[in-house]
Amino acid sequence: MNPDLQDYSHKRLNILTNEWVLVSPHRAKRPWQGQNEAVSKEARPSYDETCYLCAGNTRINREINPKYEDVFVFTNDFAALQKDSKSFKVEDGLLHAHSEQGICKVICFSPDHSKSLAQMEVKDIQKVVFAWQKEYKELGDTPGINYVQIFENKGAVMGCSNPHPHGQIWSQSTLPNEVEKKDKQQRNYYKKNKRSLLGDYLKQELKLQERIIFENEGFVVLIPFWAVWPFETMIIPKEHQSNILLINKDETLQYAEAISVITRAYDRLFNTSFPYSSGIHQAPTDEKENNTHWHWHMSFYPPLLRSATVKKFMVGYEMFGSPQRDITPEIATKMIQDLV
């Protein structure tokens, strides 16, 4: 490990977005006098009669949930994107606006209100993976849908409005900003080298063994060299695959194991139900090209910094300059490795 990266301020390049993150390892030693919050120890029941996501309960639109026993998917009652939205365009000098159509869904991971992915069995997480595959296929095949974004916000600090274990799937007619940047970087690399950008990156990480948290036959969990969030992680399939439909049945279980390992380790890190936003970035569904350049991956962005009550805020320099972190990815890796 290069000692300079652990002692001196420097920038690291995110090869997927071509953006830089400032790393300031010497600042990790500073005393903390910022915000601290009480940790909630409230235990949730396995069923909550007031929860609109629990099995058999009535949602806000008066629809009744089925008595589901594993995974349940439905169209979001408060969708951010509208399927039948009017098509229009505004081009008025420097004022530009384009209409956007889409379909938004909610995916309940389990009927058990008290659980999170970290508390679910691997075989039950595999059922979530199956549902992700099904929705990616069906939404992606829908006319006018050119990208499918699968994600989860866990914890109130991440804006989660309901503690029931669930995620969301937003599909839309154009590529979101982050996806567009990754699409460009991966395409350029593949065009030049005829190899996957993330595939080559993964080979280098596996050789160095400095940021690897866990690996099984099909997947690697690591902290990216360019990570922004203190305990940011990424799950990468070892095989070059453009989307999750290419995962075979054995690999879905291996993927579920990787999710289980990192979410359980997160909860052990500060002895709390660890909040995060996670999401899968994969090939667009526009069929304009075969998207061979894409190598799908799943990222976890947790906001906790020093304890269960101390958070990382993107403010000041991060808002006006570029992302910045104190604890290095290598030190963060070691902390999580000890909990796997």
Side-chain angles (χ1 to χ4, degrees):
M1 186 184 299
N2 187 328
D4 290 345
L5 295 178
Q6 307 306 313
D7 294 326
Y8 302 103
S9 59
H10 60 279
K11 296 194 299 183
R12 299 192 186 195
L13 179 66
N14 182 334
I15 58 174
L16 284 171
T17 64
N18 200 35
E19 296 174 336
W20 294 87
V21 54
L22 176 64
V23 184
S24 312
H26 55 288
R27 278 169 53 91
K29 302 173 184 178
R30 65 188 173 127
W32 180 258
Q33 292 183 313
Q35 180 177 349
N36 285 274
E37 298 176 2
V39 178
S40 174
K41 297 294 184 179
E42 180 182 1
R44 299 201 309 272
S46 59
Y47 169 76
D48 183 347
E49 63 181 10
T50 67
C51 171
Y52 64 84
L53 296 182
C54 277
N57 286 2
T58 301
R59 300 203 305 275
I60 196 69
N61 66 351
R62 310 315 300 168
E63 289 188 19
I64 299 175
N65 296 330
K67 292 282 189 178
Y68 64 95
E69 296 181 354
D70 40 61
V71 181
F72 170 50
V73 182
F74 64 93
T75 300
N76 198 321
D77 301 325
F78 299 96
L81 292 159
Q82 301 163 304
K83 182 179 180 181
D84 301 317
S85 176
K86 177 183 176 182
S87 181
F88 63 90
K89 182 183 292 187
V90 174
E91 301 288 350
D92 182 10
L94 296 178
L95 309 180
H96 299 255
H98 296 180
S99 59
E100 183 77 359
Q101 292 78 37
I103 302 170
C104 298
K105 294 192 174 184
V106 175
I107 171 171
C108 297
F109 301 149
S110 167
D112 193 329
H113 185 81
S114 68
K115 290 186 175 180
S116 66
L117 287 174
Q119 297 160 315
M120 292 169 57
E121 297 295 329
V122 172
K123 62 179 177 60
D124 292 323
I125 298 177
Q126 184 186 34
K127 295 176 183 177
V128 175
V129 175
F130 288 151
W132 285 340
Q133 289 179 312
K134 179 176 181 292
E135 293 300 323
Y136 176 80
K137 169 65 176 171
E138 292 182 357
L139 289 168
D141 286 344
T142 302
I145 296 299
N146 295 312
Y147 190 73
V148 178
Q149 181 61 63
I150 297 168
F151 66 98
E152 177 195 5
N153 293 323
K154 181 193 174 194
V157 68
M158 302 309 294
C160 182
S161 60
N162 189 310
H164 192 101
H166 74 285
Q168 297 186 57
I169 305 172
W170 291 15
S171 59
Q172 62 189 99
S173 53
T174 63
L175 301 190
N177 295 343
E178 290 300 302
V179 177
E180 194 167 35
K181 285 183 282 189
K182 290 187 176 185
D183 184 65
K184 179 181 178 180
Q185 290 298 108
Q186 291 183 97
R187 180 187 288 108
N188 290 344
Y189 189 89
Y190 191 85
K191 184 177 181 180
K192 179 180 179 181
N193 300 283
K194 305 303 179 186
R195 298 190 306 274
S196 154
L197 173 61
L198 270 186
D200 282 359
Y201 167 70
L202 188 56
K203 289 177 184 177
Q204 188 171 354
E205 286 286 22
L206 287 171
K207 182 178 180 180
L208 291 172
Q209 288 292 315
E210 293 176 355
R211 287 166 291 274
I212 305 296
I213 292 172
F214 169 81
E215 70 173 295
N216 55 25
E217 186 178 348
F219 294 85
V220 174
V221 182
L222 54 77
I223 293 186
F225 179 76
W226 56 83
V228 169
W229 297 94
F231 297 99
E232 174 181 333
T233 58
M234 182 183 288
I235 299 177
I236 309 174
K238 292 180 178 179
E239 183 180 346
H240 176 196
Q241 301 169 334
S242 61
N243 63 68
I244 60 174
L245 292 181
L246 300 176
I247 316 172
N248 63 38
K249 189 172 182 180
D250 289 340
E251 289 169 337
T252 59
L253 194 63
Q254 295 161 14
Y255 178 29
E257 180 187 28
I259 293 172
S260 177
V261 167
I262 187 55
T263 53
R264 288 174 185 266
Y266 275 155
D267 281 6
R268 297 186 187 110
L269 186 59
F270 296 135
N271 193 30
T272 190
S273 183
F274 211 78
Y276 58 74
S277 279
S278 67
I280 301 171
H281 276 161
Q282 54 190 321
T285 59
D286 52 18
E287 296 185 350
K288 292 180 181 177
E289 54 182 302
N290 58 19
N291 290 311
T292 307
H293 58 284
W294 263 90
H295 193 138
W296 77 268
H297 49 284
M298 182 178 191
S299 297
F300 290 80
Y301 301 151
L304 298 187
L305 176 58
R306 297 170 179 240
S307 71
T309 65
V310 177
K311 303 179 183 67
K312 164 70 175 179
F313 293 97
M314 291 294 180
V315 296
Y317 180 83
E318 287 110 339
M319 297 180 77
F320 297 99
S322 67
Q324 181 271 341
R325 64 179 292 138
D326 295 347
I327 180 175
T328 65
E330 294 74 31
I331 297 301
T333 298
K334 178 60 177 173
M335 293 174 66
I336 299 179
Q337 279 178 335
D338 293 339
L339 302 171
V340 171

